[in-house]
Structure formats: C-alpha cells, structure tokens
Amino acid sequence: MQLLSINPQTNKPYVRTISYFPAVLSGALLGDLLVNQYVQLNGKKVVVINQQTDKSLLKDILVAMSEQEKTIKFWMQNLQKRSKDIEATIKHTFVQSGILTTKTSLFNKEKYELNEKKRTDYVLKIKAEIKFSLSKLEREEQLQPEEQEQLLLLGLIDSAKLLPILFPNNNEIKEAKKQIKKLKSSSLINKEIQSAINTIDTLNSSAGAFMMR
C-alpha cells in the first residue's frame, strides 16, 4: 500500500495521504497480525497467541503486545508512533526487490526513486487480487484468509484516500465503495478485521476534522 501512496512524478507521497497514512499503515500491520492469527481479540483487548515469525518488524511488535493487553485503538495509536521506523523497513524491502532505488543527495541524505514499471505491475496485481476477492464477496462465497486480507487492504486504501489510484474509473470507485460498506458488516468477514477497519475510519475521521480547523 505504501507504493500506492507515492506520486511517481515526484517520488513523494501524495499530499492528500500524508495525514491519514500513519493510521492506515498501523491498521495494515494490525490486520496482518489478525488475519495470520498472531493475535486475536478477547473482548475488546488484543491478545497475542503466536509469536513465531521470522519478520523482525512483526516480532518486535508482538513482544510489545505480549507485555500488556490493550484495545485495537490503543495499539493503532501506539504503532503510529513507530510509523517512521515501519516505513523505513518497508522501503528497505522494496529496495531489495528493485521497486525502489536509493540515491545519496548533495547533503548525504538518502533519497528514493520509483521503478515505474514495477510499481505498475504491482498495482495491477493488487487490483486483480482485490477484484477476485470482491467477486467472491458479491456471490457470498466463503473467503480464504488471504482473500480477507485483500479486502482489508481495500478498506485501508479507501481510508488513505488512495482508491482513485487503484481504480481510476469513477464507476469502479462507486462499486468498490459499495463493496467496502458491505464488507464492514458481512458475516463472511472476520469480526476482528471489521473492527480494525472501523477503528481506522474513526481515527482518520478525527485526523480529517483536525485538518479542517
């Protein structure tokens, strides 16, 4: 999702996403933990049920979560404070895959440049996977965990105001928004994932209201 937030003309995040992105990024991480059953909800509290992972970023988060049981809202706000470190880790992954390249500026500041073809391929792949999962939701077919994760991603993309990047066509945007509304209440979607999406929406609404003051 971080790739969607980067404007290929400037190699910088779209202005409209800046205030929303930390909450969405923390929601994506929390959603990953929920879908892949590293954590679950016990009432309103997030409880760690599996700490076995080779991803150092997730491992650090799971250790912190295992030390205190708190709500989704608490952990989303907590993870937002780590957003710079999280973004740096994700960027490093993209550099390794060749989607991003690094250059050192005059003042030895590291800058990133986007490989537009690889970004386009990535966006098309994500779009195809999301549309497939949406078609199953529309037919009310049982969704696999990875398909629920794609629909979580769609909800996060919408929260980050990035839906037009994934769906340039207005009719596709309208249809996607209709399905996002449906997935927030569908019995086919894990209740914990729905809770994460709704919490993100609440936090981003607060951020939007703050910006308009």
Side-chain angles (χ1 to χ4, degrees):
M1 188 175 60
Q2 191 172 16
L3 280 181
L4 291 177
S5 72
I6 299 174
N7 185 334
Q9 273 69 54
T10 64
N11 286 312
K12 295 179 180 179
Y14 290 101
V15 174
R16 64 177 177 272
T17 72
I18 292 173
S19 63
Y20 301 100
F21 199 74
V24 172
L25 189 60
S26 64
L29 273 172
L30 192 52
D32 185 23
L33 296 176
L34 286 165
V35 170
N36 293 293
Q37 298 184 329
Y38 290 107
V39 302
Q40 65 182 19
L41 288 184
N42 183 7
K44 293 185 178 181
K45 301 293 181 65
V46 177
V47 179
V48 177
I49 57 174
N50 177 19
Q51 292 190 53
Q52 301 303 312
T53 176
D54 57 358
K55 298 177 181 178
S56 59
L57 177 62
L58 295 186
K59 190 175 292 185
D60 291 344
I61 293 169
L62 287 168
V63 168
M65 286 181 165
S66 67
E67 294 172 352
Q68 50 182 340
E69 293 181 5
K70 298 289 185 180
T71 63
I72 283 182
K73 182 176 180 180
F74 171 87
W75 284 116
M76 285 187 59
Q77 292 173 330
N78 181 278
L79 292 174
Q80 284 182 67
K81 298 173 184 176
R82 310 182 189 204
S83 61
K84 287 187 178 180
D85 291 336
I86 293 169
E87 286 185 49
T89 301
I90 295 171
K91 283 179 179 176
H92 179 67
T93 302
F94 286 144
V95 168
Q96 288 183 316
S97 65
I99 296 175
L100 292 177
T101 56
T102 58
K103 289 190 176 181
T104 304
S105 68
L106 181 64
F107 300 102
N108 291 323
K109 184 177 180 181
E110 197 172 58
K111 297 177 68 176
Y112 293 92
E113 289 191 1
L114 194 62
N115 182 316
E116 180 127 16
K117 182 182 183 305
K118 288 195 174 184
R119 177 186 185 270
T120 300
D121 291 344
Y122 171 83
V123 171
L124 290 174
K125 176 178 178 291
I126 292 297
K127 182 176 180 179
E129 290 173 347
I130 287 175
K131 290 186 78 170
F132 177 77
S133 298
L134 282 176
S135 68
K136 290 188 69 173
L137 180 67
E138 181 69 23
R139 296 192 301 271
E140 298 189 348
E141 295 179 7
Q142 190 66 38
L143 295 162
Q144 298 301 314
E146 61 272 17
E147 292 164 347
Q148 292 200 43
E149 193 167 10
Q150 291 299 330
L151 295 181
L152 168 65
L153 177 61
L154 178 63
L156 296 173
I157 288 170
D158 185 42
S159 291
K161 313 303 177 190
L162 290 168
L163 211 53
I165 307 301
L166 193 63
F167 297 107
N169 183 287
N170 286 335
N171 289 331
E172 285 187 311
I173 291 175
K174 288 179 182 178
E175 181 60 27
K177 283 186 172 292
K178 184 177 80 173
Q179 294 299 331
I180 290 168
K181 186 176 180 179
K182 182 177 179 179
L183 72 87
K184 290 179 181 179
S185 59
S186 172
S187 60
L188 298 171
I189 304 295
N190 187 310
K191 297 296 181 186
E192 296 169 342
I193 293 176
Q194 291 172 343
S195 180
I197 294 174
N198 289 327
T199 301
I200 295 163
D201 285 345
T202 300
L203 292 175
N204 280 340
S205 294
S206 299
F210 179 80
M211 287 178 64
M212 293 175 67
R213 290 178 186 175

